[in-house]
Amino acid sequence: MYSDKVMDHFQNPRNVGEIEDADGVGTVGNPTCGDLMTIYIKVKDNVIEDVKFKTFGCGAAIATSSMITEMAVGKTIEEALAITRNDVADELEGLPPVKMHCSNLAADALHAAIDNYKEKMGEKKPEDRCKDICSCGK
């Protein structure tokens, strides 16, 4: 049912914990399944130099949290924002369809941490920038 990579990241999760003085923090949850994920990032010169996570959830949620931290560390903010939900599942060599929402949470938590970092740096959220330049209603 689960790939060897999923089992490895579940049984030996990487980058567990929190960063006390994090530059960005993102928390997301899925009320249907009860998974809750928080990602902490430390950024230097636009590069994510450290990533930690705390996850309450199933084995797939823990595995995807662990994997997203490995995928994001060392990447620029822009490169990390480009990591998709499917990228996480692909790096884990697949997830059962019923567990795909876990990879969604991991990518969403990373993106939320980056958005939090950008807000702290004084950047506008994408939807706020849109309000400034168009009338699409976003």
Side-chain angles (χ1 to χ4, degrees):
M1 181 172 193
Y2 291 112
S3 71
D4 289 342
K5 261 191 164 177
V6 170
M7 292 306 296
D8 181 41
H9 277 269
F10 165 62
Q11 294 172 333
N12 307 292
R14 285 71 153 171
N15 305 306
V16 176
E18 65 183 83
I19 300 172
E20 290 297 327
D21 59 342
D23 294 318
V25 179
T27 300
V28 297
N30 183 325
T32 303
C33 66
D35 293 339
L36 182 66
M37 210 175 273
T38 301
I39 301 278
Y40 306 83
I41 60 172
K42 193 72 175 166
V43 180
K44 183 175 181 181
D45 298 326
N46 200 48
V47 174
I48 298 175
E49 66 175 10
D50 194 12
V51 187
K52 300 276 188 236
F53 79 92
K54 284 188 167 183
T55 294
F56 176 82
C58 66
I62 292 166
T64 58
S65 298
S66 174
M67 179 54 77
I68 197 99
T69 64
E70 288 202 327
M71 293 173 73
V73 73
K75 295 220 180 341
T76 66
I77 292 297
E78 294 76 21
E79 291 168 336
L81 275 173
I83 298 171
T84 68
R85 298 164 169 182
N86 286 336
D87 292 337
V88 179
D90 290 347
E91 281 295 315
L92 287 169
E93 299 171 355
L95 287 169
V98 71
K99 293 297 182 178
M100 280 301 291
H101 68 275
C102 298
S103 67
N104 294 352
L105 284 179
D108 292 350
L110 175 63
H111 295 171
I114 292 169
D115 286 345
N116 178 247
Y117 164 72
K118 287 181 161 193
E119 286 177 46
K120 288 180 179 180
M121 299 305 293
E123 291 185 35
K124 292 183 177 183
K125 293 181 186 177
E127 60 269 19
D128 292 339
R129 286 193 300 272
C130 186
K131 287 178 193 171
D132 290 342
I133 61 173
C134 75
S135 59
C136 69
K138 288 185 181 179

